[in-house]
Amino acid sequence: MTGHVLVAPDKFKGSLSAAEVADAVAVGLRGRMPSLEVRRVPVADGGDGTVRAALATGRFERLPVRVTGPTGRRVDAEIAVNRTTAVVELASASGFALLAPGEFDPLRASSHGTGELLTAALEAGVSEIVLGVGGSACTDGGAGMLTALGARLTDSGGRPLSPGGGELERLAGIDLSGLDPRLADVDLVLASDVDNPLTGPSGAAHVYGPQKGAGPEEVRRLDAALRNFAEVVGRATGESAADRPGAGAAGGVGYGALTALSARFRSGSDVVLELVGFDRDLAGAALVITGEGALDEQTLRGKVPATVAARAAKVGVPTVAVAGKCSLSEHRLRGGGFSAVYALAHLQPDPGRSIRGAAALLHRVGEHIADDFL
């Protein structure tokens, strides 16, 4: 075979990190072909795993940061920094993965810790900040993030609001004059594959609120609170961005970043692939292997495996996918740029055993891919 194999998967959520998936597949490939050149490039879509993907390149350093978690408890987080760029992952500060099932607090959960991560990035003296959003526990429109950065949100009596999206029902004024002045000197990139608006049936509260523990009445309250937030922020900034793509990302953190912080929205998958130098490793490849825990219709709507396959197709390199499970038809897979898919469920139909034994199953998958394609 001429050329190397590029293994560029996302994480298998709840089972293996992207790096662990890549390592396991590589073991299987080399078990069949010991001299095979395998390049492992863990990737992400802007959500959980984005900082790890940046660190795996060796071009970033890990900076630990102690921040306020979504319900007020202090948590350990991290950002990735180099001379010019910082990579910030909302999930590490304000993500629902930080909470036990009984801890979900949809009306009071806050993005304050994400603002603290951005402050740490500013203190690192970078000129660009990539803010990866996804997996948030909050639906506060980014109000907590803005407060941590120096904004002041008040009720009709001029009193500061308490944390959480529910409090935005009482918001009467916002003062952005206290925002960290260093924000004006950085290029803030909002990296997300979520293009929902802020409010309405396709907005942050209705679509993602139930995943964060919100019942029907809480969803209604949060949506109304976000509408009020947008009105107040719109008056202060002179800009109405509630319907812009990405405004509804991460419980509306996208909206706060786009309006008050002048962030620019980009596909999270594209941003991360550029950060990790994917195109450089793609050059000269004979085969690309990508994947994620579940391949489904969401995969084809711009998630990272589909973006990987599209980039590979442009240069004529075939792509195969690995997954815990796959619900896509062969026709849909082919249309998405995948030559084949190898699902762990075909080897181990019991979900619990598949999750626990994912690494060993991926070894076998790697062997099968080598037999079929190399």
Side-chain angles (χ1 to χ4, degrees):
M1 185 196 76
T2 302
H4 60 275
V5 175
L6 176 56
V7 185
D10 199 350
K11 63 187 175 296
F12 278 28
K13 193 171 183 178
S15 180
L16 300 175
S17 69
E20 290 169 334
V21 173
D23 289 345
V25 172
V27 168
L29 292 169
R30 290 191 177 122
R32 284 288 193 266
M33 302 180 69
S35 63
L36 179 68
E37 181 185 357
V38 181
R39 299 187 189 177
R40 289 162 290 177
V41 181
V43 295
D45 61 5
D48 183 21
T50 298
V51 166
R52 285 190 180 185
L55 293 173
T57 68
R59 298 192 298 275
F60 289 83
E61 294 183 3
R62 176 181 179 270
L63 179 63
V65 189
R66 184 84 169 161
V67 299
T68 306
T71 56
R73 186 178 67 247
R74 300 292 284 177
V75 299
D76 291 316
E78 62 184 7
I79 64 176
V81 296
N82 62 22
R83 187 175 57 84
T84 61
T85 303
V87 181
V88 174
E89 184 181 300
L90 173 145
S92 71
S94 311
F96 60 73
L98 297 170
L99 304 177
E103 282 190 288
F104 288 136
D105 197 349
L107 294 179
R108 287 183 289 272
S110 169
S111 60
H112 194 276
T114 298
E116 293 172 327
L117 289 182
L118 290 173
T119 298
L122 292 171
E123 290 173 352
V126 297
S127 57
E128 179 187 47
I129 300 175
V130 173
L131 172 58
V133 295
S136 74
C138 54
T139 310
D140 72 345
M145 172 185 70
L146 297 179
T147 300
L149 288 166
R152 190 166 183 269
L153 283 70
T154 53
D155 63 15
S156 58
R159 295 175 291 269
L161 297 185
S162 298
E167 278 285 278
L168 298 177
E169 293 174 310
R170 302 193 304 110
L171 179 68
I174 182 168
D175 181 1
L176 300 175
S177 64
L179 283 174
D180 193 315
R182 294 172 295 185
L183 288 163
D185 298 322
V186 299
D187 179 18
L188 179 60
V189 178
L190 178 68
S192 174
D193 286 333
V194 171
D195 59 4
N196 301 67
L198 179 64
T199 60
S202 300
H206 282 281
V207 175
Y208 301 106
Q211 300 173 10
K212 306 171 188 181
E217 177 58 22
E218 290 169 317
V219 166
R220 186 199 65 76
R221 284 186 59 188
L222 287 168
D223 188 62
L226 289 174
R227 285 199 303 273
N228 182 54
F229 181 60
E231 290 176 7
V232 174
V233 173
R235 289 197 298 269
T237 63
E239 179 181 7
S240 177
D243 292 330
R244 284 174 59 183
V253 166
Y255 174 80
L258 290 168
T259 53
L261 305 183
S262 300
R264 57 189 180 95
F265 175 74
R266 289 194 63 202
S267 158
S269 296
D270 284 334
V271 170
V272 174
L273 290 182
E274 290 171 13
L275 281 173
V276 302
F278 174 82
D279 288 345
R280 181 186 63 250
D281 285 303
L282 178 61
L287 179 70
V288 171
I289 302 172
T290 187
E292 60 183 345
L295 285 177
D296 51 28
E297 286 296 331
Q298 289 296 319
T299 302
L300 303 182
R301 295 174 186 166
K303 293 188 74 176
V304 70
T307 305
V308 166
R311 290 198 177 201
K314 285 183 179 179
V315 294
V317 180
T319 299
V320 300
V322 296
K325 58 183 179 179
C326 177
S327 60
L328 293 170
S329 67
E330 183 175 346
H331 173 73
R332 294 292 286 153
L333 286 166
R334 296 279 180 180
F338 301 103
S339 298
V341 61
Y342 294 79
L344 304 191
H346 295 158
L347 300 176
Q348 174 50 263
D350 180 86
R353 291 182 178 179
S354 179
I355 290 171
R356 291 190 298 273
L361 292 171
L362 283 168
H363 294 170
R364 293 169 59 187
V365 164
E367 293 174 348
H368 293 323
I369 293 172
D371 293 340
D372 294 343
F373 284 88
L374 306 177

